[in-house]
Amino acid sequence: DAGITQSPRHKVTETGTPVTLRCHQTENHRYMYWYRQDPGHGLRLIHYSYGVKDTDKGEVSDGYSVSRSKTEDFLLTLESATSSQTSVYFCAISPGLAGPNEQFFGPGTRLTVL
Amino acid sequence: AQKVTQVQTEISVVEKEDVTLDCVYETRDTTYYLFWYKQPPSGELVFLIRRNSFDEQNEISGRYSWNFQKSTSSFNFTITASQVVDSAVYFCAQQNSGYSTLTFGKGTMLLVSP
């Protein structure tokens, strides 16, 4: 199994508070991704990173920011959480080689915003 | 733009029945990759298979088989003699060559009853 951990695994917070989710990998993969999973929407890409300090927006990036200061860590921040950001968040990694880029996923973080 | 459509939202079968999950994709690229992932009730996302656009050979792995047809832009997944442990949400995804991001379908929930 790919070495990917996410923390925290569960979090309950209140509207308007900042929240940071952490993804940590031990595979030294170049690419890292943040997705959210919601009923009826499947997996939607929030942001991704193609190297240290190199990030780009995904399909649903509004209200989220990311940072990657080390190869192994990719942080997702909700500056001011809203109830619409209640979701399950998955981190994924891929080697980023030319060609197919199957992604390997972390265990997920369940976030509830009250 | 890429699009992945998983035709069935939910499928219910009785154990030992065969079941096919349909996936239809849209892309303008001639080189691309297709994937299937499984998400069991425990919540993790498990990579099952990757298929390259230039390889239309069908693949079989135990009770699982995949049928890739470029002519109909489909990449269907069949489980033969289904078992209760096959109950999960299955996601189809597509990646264009030269890009690192995947586009996911919304998933098909498969329920296998004893």
Side-chain angles (χ1 to χ4, degrees):
Chain A
D1 290 343
I4 314 167
T5 56
Q6 293 184 229
S7 59
R9 294 292 314 280
H10 302 270
K11 186 170 183 67
V12 179
T13 190
E14 293 188 351
T15 299
T17 59
V19 176
T20 295
L21 309 183
R22 179 182 183 238
C23 177
H24 179 78
Q25 61 145 329
T26 59
E27 305 297 318
N28 201 35
H29 280 355
R30 179 183 174 193
Y31 281 78
M32 298 184 77
Y33 310 81
W34 277 108
Y35 291 89
R36 61 179 289 174
Q37 183 179 19
D38 305 287
H41 292 278
L43 287 158
R44 293 181 293 175
L45 182 65
I46 305 172
H47 283 280
Y48 68 101
S49 169
Y50 47 96
V52 172
K53 295 191 183 348
D54 293 322
T55 65
D56 206 348
K57 294 179 180 180
E59 177 188 357
V60 290
S61 59
D62 286 349
Y64 302 94
S65 62
V66 291
S67 65
R68 191 170 179 198
S69 59
K70 297 185 291 185
T71 299
E72 57 267 34
D73 289 325
F74 192 33
L75 304 180
L76 177 71
T77 297
L78 292 66
E79 300 290 348
S80 177
T82 67
S83 58
S84 64
Q85 293 176 310
T86 292
S87 187
V88 179
Y89 291 86
F90 285 96
C91 174
I93 65 174
S94 68
L97 303 171
N101 234 344
E102 45 262 42
Q103 297 178 11
F104 300 95
F105 287 81
T109 293
R110 184 173 295 276
L111 175 67
T112 302
V113 183
L114 301 175
Chain B
Q2 301 157 252
K3 185 177 179 181
V4 176
T5 301
Q6 293 188 244
V7 178
Q8 305 98 341
T9 303
E10 292 183 20
I11 302 176
S12 291
V13 299
V14 177
E15 211 169 18
K16 297 184 183 177
E17 285 186 26
D18 298 347
V19 58
T20 295
L21 284 62
D22 297 322
C23 174
V24 176
Y25 61 91
E26 295 177 26
T27 181
R28 293 180 180 176
D29 280 30
T30 55
T31 301
Y32 52 88
Y33 311 98
L34 300 166
F35 308 83
W36 277 97
Y37 285 82
K38 175 182 180 180
Q39 186 177 40
S42 52
E44 72 272 23
L45 282 149
V46 179
F47 166 72
L48 293 178
I49 191 172
R50 179 242 305 159
R51 176 57 82 218
N52 304 335
S53 58
F54 45 85
D55 179 6
E56 286 193 72
Q57 194 169 15
N58 291 332
E59 182 152 343
I60 298 174
S61 176
R63 296 184 297 105
Y64 293 175
S65 63
W66 290 269
N67 180 266
F68 174 35
Q69 291 196 335
K70 280 178 96 166
S71 60
T72 56
S73 297
S74 64
F75 185 41
N76 298 335
F77 175 28
T78 296
I79 302 174
T80 303
S82 60
Q83 299 176 1
V84 172
V85 293
D86 296 326
S87 295
V89 179
Y90 291 87
F91 290 97
C92 179
Q94 188 253 341
Q95 173 205 348
N96 284 340
S97 177
Y99 292 86
S100 66
T101 57
L102 271 59
T103 299
F104 283 84
K106 294 184 178 181
T108 296
M109 178 179 290
L110 173 64
L111 177 60
V112 183
S113 304

